[in-house]
């Protein structure tokens, strides 16, 4: 390459080059090199070793290419410390130097990347004071390509990010004052009634600090290195670029508020909003030129002063509000300021050239707004409203609530008067959709003669798009991430003009989990705090290395790599699509486009680019380390234990019948082809079977008599068709070793089930089996599900005994409450059995006859598996108790945290009277001090009738615990499978204990009402919650007892559920109990889960069958022994209650049937379900119309 004279002068000046490092090469015996450095590069010397020769050729090709380009200079001499070697000092021309003298194309930087593998960067090698080995493909720790910190796991990086240390030293004095108010101490933020903890103050202050003065950070693609002679340079490992000077980018004006679950993220956001009340956003730089508004005539002095105040972004709203507290009024001043709100114009796009005349489009005027737009999931709207009510003074913020998709959005002018606009994610998507069905509201007095835009156009332009908001906060914003494609929420957000952007989520992705997800699930004996320093450090060190680096089996490593990629893709979507973080959001076709996938996401070998990820997380995330939070607050102790229960007769039968299904299928299919349940094509059916098997650990009635009979017949027929079954010999016609005995045991299990009258009855009727002592003798036979044995407890279904209880309780004050009980029982049982007949015309003569068989399942090749591989039908839909509690539904005061301290929800704090007026009228009524009189004479047998046991070991244990605890503590029960909740609810109804069931089928309105009611009143003592509904922002700190009725396979799901109760605002120690049937498959599952690594959990996150060990445990699942004394002894079959419970005349059952369950619910804004709709309310149905949006304080 030829150079002009200025070029040559530039290249001859060695100061323009960076001393990069040293190369050590073999010395050619014929070389004329001396002991002094001279500018030259020796010819390649080959050793005859093919590998080494290949490396030498790669090295020399790269060096010579760069030398010819003038990008490199080399100085060589004989090595003073190592005879037979040459020391070469290498200087490189940085990419940011000499641009006007030569063109620097990207394709040549690849040569420098190859050279870097062999460059020794240490100062000792540069000086020649130490000998060095010849270059090889392993390199050494002084090269740029080898750093020990490269493989820290994503979990470790996230949990060791430095805690926020904000400073009020920012250029904007108004924002500096806001930060100082937050960091100053107690009650420094006007309008905030709650005292913040120190870490909450730091987080809120850091949010404002990042918004108003984002730091300039080194381009995350580059790393800083030290030259061997001193000085610094910056190297991009991916592109090979070397810079002399650092290149900086501004951090995003926002980020991710990722404080640990339960540490008050909502309160932190509210504090930041209050501290910056009335602050104005800036006009975007691209629109700030020539945007001065020209008046048509000279304005008044007040108008010009108001325009100047707004132009200088003076927060006059907060000033005027503060001065109005002294009694002064500023109506005229406020009106003039609002009339002169600043705006800017977005130019219209250039019209395409056309010969036809076209209309000239005018630019769009965007008004500035001091409002914060808060976007939340629908089920968290009430949570935010209650938080605002608890922590913010009534007149501190002007808030506009958008409650539903039917709400009419106000004009942009009205929205400019707000401090906060709170709306749901679904409403935002619909509002900003191009194909929105919403209509532009008309404000005309005579619509038919109107010429307003609402009547001239059918399209709808959202007022939100006409404003430039100060801030947007997206709660649980991890749902907005979708790497590689944009969902509706992202499109909606990109149509908004917002200066400051925040995602609020303690778990931005499944891999970005706080350490509490690991500590919460650890079983303890004496109780721990999940911020215990030693425990935290131990977990961090064990999970420091990524699954890619650990010596794990290939499938686990592949799963860990896939999971990390997914996590980083989600983070990239947040960074690029929502936060507009540079350089990652740079235009792809631009000069400085940056690929998130190339720099951040691990390659196929699992190697992640060092430091880039850590730098990005530091620039995005606001989060405290657990040890720093611990200095400010101590949560109550968390006690977590596993309760091992002995399975009872019906537990054993249910679990054994599932094992029977698997055993019969395995043997008769000979474990080959698609007939085998574990064949890959049967994965969906097998997953459902395993799910049902896990549910059966609580209670199960879905097996039918026909299925069991068919399995027995199939097994016997298979055995008869085999020759030489007595001899377990090898050969195509004989059974494999052990299969003959396996089928025989399966047959014995099926026969035991068919011989059991109670199992047959419970399965046919799909009833929860209960055992009753001292039932009126003349009515026993009518109510019994089986052939009655007078001296044994009565076996009855929960639905039937509830009818008997209701009948007696509504006739307590007649001379003989039991009169007619037998006739009612006969009628009820006849109706039950007739409903189960395949032909409704057939009747059952006697209630105690053998129950009829339900219709046969559809025939197919695995008919004996039909119900075990199907999702069970939901047996009940009622989600709120009909029982009227003896406890007055008064406001919870004993469990409510001190309102002067920060806590995670307002629902446990003071409820404002104007929030829920109609509900509070019922919920806050005073209790009677008169002790009720027992309505049943003690001499009556009805007073001695007791519920003495159930058919489920877990249910009996759970009822014992609830009976003891429910009067003094609130109870949270997590379940999987709606039928489990239904069985528990049936038992609680009988005991007169009011409950709520929080399930996925509920509407968002009813979900929020259940949480608010449970937290704010004493009416409902038990909340049953689907464990998979417990992971998003719910605050249930009024509950201090937590039960898992089945072990949870995913530890993160369990931890999220526990943190609903163990969080800020909890005043009691939290006790967690997980119920496990001893020596069963769920016992093995829990033990396996505890021994799995984080990478193995990621691999099997969706299904436990993805874990090879767990799958083998299922294949090898053994039958539970059935004891001979259990077969006929009802007492042995029953799971007894520790203290039998009275059935009739319970003091809280008198008005059960007439009591309206929705009367005690607290709906948002006092919105009650209408009487006309209440019949459907127990099924989660809601009125079609909801309250419209409106202003609130």
């Amino acid at each position: 390459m030829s150079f002009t004279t200025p070029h040559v002068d530039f290249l001859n000046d060695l100061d323009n080059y960076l001393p990069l490092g040293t190369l050590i090469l073999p010395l050619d015996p014929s070389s004329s090199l001396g002991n002094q450095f001279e500018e030259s590069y020796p010819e390649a010397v080959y050793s005859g070793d093919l590998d080494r020769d290949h490396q030498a050729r790669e090295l020399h090709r790269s060096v010579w290419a760069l030398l010819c380009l003038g990008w490199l200079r080399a100085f060589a001499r004989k090595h003073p410390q190592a005879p037979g070697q040459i020391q070469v000092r290498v200087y490189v021309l940085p990419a940011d130097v000499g641009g006007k003298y030569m063109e620097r194309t990207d394709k040549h930087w690849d040569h420098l990347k190859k050279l870097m593998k062999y460059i020794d960067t240490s100062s000792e090698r540069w000086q020649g004071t130490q000998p060095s080995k010849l270059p090889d493909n392993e390199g050494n720790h002084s090269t740029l390509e080898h750093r020990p910190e490269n493989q820290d796991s994503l979990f470790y990086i996230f949990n060791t990010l430095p805690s926020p240390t904000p400073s009020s030293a920012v250029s904007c004095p108004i924002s500096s004052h806001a930060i100082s108010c937050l960091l100053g101490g107690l009650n420094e933020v006007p309008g905030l009634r709650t005292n913040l903890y120190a870490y909450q103050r730091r987080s809120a202050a850091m949010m404002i600090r990042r918004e108003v003065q984002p730091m300039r950070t080194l381009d995350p693609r580059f790393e800083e290195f030290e030259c061997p002679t001193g000085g610094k340079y910056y190297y991009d490992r991916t592109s090979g670029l070397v810079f002399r000077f650092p290149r900086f980018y501004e951090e995003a004006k926002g980020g991710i508020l990722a404080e640990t679950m339960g540490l008050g993220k909502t309160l932190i956001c509210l504090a930041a909003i209050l501290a910056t009340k009335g602050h104005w956003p800036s006009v975007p730089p691209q629109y700030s030129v020539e945007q001065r508004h020209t008046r048509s005539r000279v304005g008044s002095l007040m108008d010009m002063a108001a325009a100047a105040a707004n132009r200088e972004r003076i927060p006059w709203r907060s000033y005027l509000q503060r001065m109005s507290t002294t009694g002064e009024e500023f109506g005229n001043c406020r009106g003039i300021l609002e009339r002169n709100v600043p705006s800017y114009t977005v130019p219209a796009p250039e019209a395409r050239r056309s010969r036809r005349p076209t209309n000239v489009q005018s630019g769009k005027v965007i008004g500035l707004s001091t409002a914060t737009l808060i976007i939340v999931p629908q089920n968290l709207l009430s949570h935010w409203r209650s938080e605002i009510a608890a922590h913010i003074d009534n007149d501190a913020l002007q808030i506009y609530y958008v409650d539903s998709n039917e709400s009419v959005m106000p004009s942009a002018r009205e929205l400019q008067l707000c401090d906060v606009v709170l709306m749901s994610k679904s409403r935002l998507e619909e509002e900003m959709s191009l194909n929105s069905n919403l209509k532009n509201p008309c404000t005309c007095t005579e619509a038919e003669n109107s010429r307003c835009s609402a009547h001239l156009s059918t399209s709808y332009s959202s007022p939100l798009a006409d404003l430039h908001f100060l801030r947007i906060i997206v709660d649980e914003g991890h749902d907005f991430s979708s790497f590689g494609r944009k969902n509706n929420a992202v499109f909606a957000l990109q149509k908004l003009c917002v200066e400051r952007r925040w995602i609020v989520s303690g778990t931005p992705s499944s891999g970005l989990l706080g350490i509490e997800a690991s500590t919460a699930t650890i079983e303890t004996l004496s109780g721990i705090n999940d911020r215990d320093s030693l425990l935290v450090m131990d977990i961090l060190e064990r999970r420091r290395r990524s699954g890619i680096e650990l010596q794990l089996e290939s499938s686990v490593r592949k799963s860990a790599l896939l999971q990390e990629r997914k996590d980083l893709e989600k983070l990239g979507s947040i960074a690029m699509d929502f936060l507009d973080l540079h350089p990652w959001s740079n235009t792809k076709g631009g000069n400085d486009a940056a690929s998130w996938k190339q720099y951040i996401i691990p390659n196929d070998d699992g190697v992640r680019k060092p430091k880039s990820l850590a730098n990005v997380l530091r620039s995005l995330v606001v989060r405290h380390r657990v040890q720093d939070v611990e200095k400010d607050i101590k949560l109550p102790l968390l006690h977590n234990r596993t309760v091992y229960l002995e399975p009872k007769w019906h537990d054993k039968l249910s679990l054994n019948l599932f094992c029977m299904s698997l055993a019969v299928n395995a043997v008769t299919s000979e474990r080959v082809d698609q007939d085998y349940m574990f064949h890959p094509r049967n994965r969906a059916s097998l997953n459902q079977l395993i799910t049902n098997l896990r549910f059966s650990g609580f209670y199960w009635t879905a097996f039918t008599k026909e299925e069991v009979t068919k399995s027995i017949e199939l097994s016997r027929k298979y055995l008869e068709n085999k020759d030489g079954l007595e001899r377990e010999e090898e050969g195509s016609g004989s059974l494999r070793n052990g299969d003959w005995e396996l089928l025989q045991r399966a047959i014995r299990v099926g026969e035991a089930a068919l011989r059991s009258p109670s199992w047959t009855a419970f399965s046919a009727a799909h009833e929860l089996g209960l055992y009753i002592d001292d039932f009126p003798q003349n009515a026993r036979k009518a109510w019994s599900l089986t052939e009655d044995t007078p001296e044994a407890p009565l076996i009855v279904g929960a639905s039937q005994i509830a009818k008997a209880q209701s009948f007696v309780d509504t006739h307590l004050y007649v001379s003989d409450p039991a009169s007619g009980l037998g006739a009612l029982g006969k009628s009820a049982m006849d109706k039950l059995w007739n409903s189960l007949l395949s032909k409704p015309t057939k009747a059952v003569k006697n209630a105690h006859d053998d129950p009829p068989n339900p219709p046969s399942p559809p025939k197919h090749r695995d008919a004996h598996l039909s119900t075990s591989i199907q999702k069970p039908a939901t047996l009940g839909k009622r989600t709120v108790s009909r029982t009227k509690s003896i406890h007055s539904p008064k406001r919870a005061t004993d469990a409510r945290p001190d309102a002067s301290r920060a806590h995670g929800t307002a629902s446990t704090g003071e409820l404002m009277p104007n929030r829920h007026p109609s509900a509070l009228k019922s919920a806050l009524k005073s209790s009677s001090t008169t002790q009720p009189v027992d309505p049943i004479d003690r001499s009556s047998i009805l007073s001695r009738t007791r519920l003495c046991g159930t058919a489920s070991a877990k249910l009996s244990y759970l009822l014992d615990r609830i009976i003891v605890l429910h009067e003094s503590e609130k109870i949270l029960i997590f379940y999987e499978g709606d039928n489990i909740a239904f069985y528990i609810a049936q038992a609680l109804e009988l005991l007169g204990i009011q409950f709520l069931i929080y399930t996925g089928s509920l509407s968002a309105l009813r979900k929020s009402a259940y949480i608010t009611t449970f937290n704010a009143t004493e009416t409902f003592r038990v909340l049953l919650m689907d464990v998979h509904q417990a992971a998003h922002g719910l605050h249930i700190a009024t509950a201090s007892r937590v039960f898992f009725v089945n072990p949870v396979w995913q530890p993160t799901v369990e931890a999220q559920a526990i943190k609903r109760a163990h969080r800020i605002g909890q005043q009691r120690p939290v006790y967690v109990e997980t119920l496990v049937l001893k020596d069963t498959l769920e016992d093995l599952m829990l033990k396996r889960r505890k021994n799995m690594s984080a990478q193995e959990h990621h691999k099997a996150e969706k299904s436990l069958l993805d874990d090879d060990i767990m799958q083998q445990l299922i294949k090898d699942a053994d039958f539970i022994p059935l004891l001979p004394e259990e077969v006929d002894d009802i007492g042995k079959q029953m799971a007894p209650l520790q203290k039998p419970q009275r059935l009739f005349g319970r003091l809280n059952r008198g008005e059960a049937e007439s009591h309206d369950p929705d009367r005690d619910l607290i709906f948002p804004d006092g919105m009650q379900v209408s009487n006309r709709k209440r019949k459907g309310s127990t099924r989660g149905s809601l009125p079609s119309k909801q309250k419209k949006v409106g202003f609130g304080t």
Side-chain angles (χ1 to χ4, degrees), residues 851-865:
N853 297 326
S856 300
K859 293 183 178 180
H860 56 72
R861 57 184 175 81
D862 283 328
H864 66 287
L865 291 171

Side-chain angles (χ1 to χ4, degrees), residues 39 74 91 140 332 746 1036 1144:
E39 186 166 6
Y91 295 78
N140 57 71
N332 292 336
I1036 319 175
F1144 299 122

Side-chain angles (χ1 to χ4, degrees), residues 526-596:
S526 57
I528 62 167
N529 188 298
D530 68 355
R531 295 168 184 80
D532 181 80
S533 299
L534 295 178
L535 178 62
V536 167
M537 294 307 298
D538 178 63
I539 294 174
L540 283 176
E541 284 303 318
R542 283 192 284 111
R543 297 188 60 180
R544 178 168 187 171
R545 293 298 153 202
S546 69
I548 316 306
E549 185 178 90
L550 297 174
Q551 298 299 317
L552 300 173
E553 58 176 293
S554 59
S555 61
V556 177
R557 292 178 70 253
K558 183 178 179 180
S559 175
L561 174 59
L562 180 63
Q563 182 61 46
E564 182 164 319
R565 281 181 167 176
K566 289 180 179 179
D567 293 332
L568 293 175
E569 286 173 356
K570 289 183 178 180
L571 184 65
S573 179
I574 293 174
M576 292 182 288
D577 297 333
F578 179 73
L579 295 174
D580 192 27
L581 180 65
H582 297 282
W584 313 113
S585 61
N586 291 352
T587 307
K588 290 185 178 179
N591 295 327
D592 193 28
S595 170
W596 179 272

Side-chain angles (χ1 to χ4, degrees), residues 14 37 71 133 154 176 266 272 298 302 343 346 486 503 536 548 594 618 785 818 845 886 898 902 942 970 1037 1115:
L14 192 60
F37 283 105
W71 294 13
K133 64 180 181 180
L154 181 61
S176 176
T266 304
V298 177
M302 288 191 67
S343 63
V346 178
K486 295 181 180 179
I503 291 284
V536 167
I548 316 306
R618 277 194 289 268
L785 276 175
K845 296 181 179 180
I886 189 173
D898 183 359
L942 294 176
K970 287 190 177 182
K1115 290 180 180 180

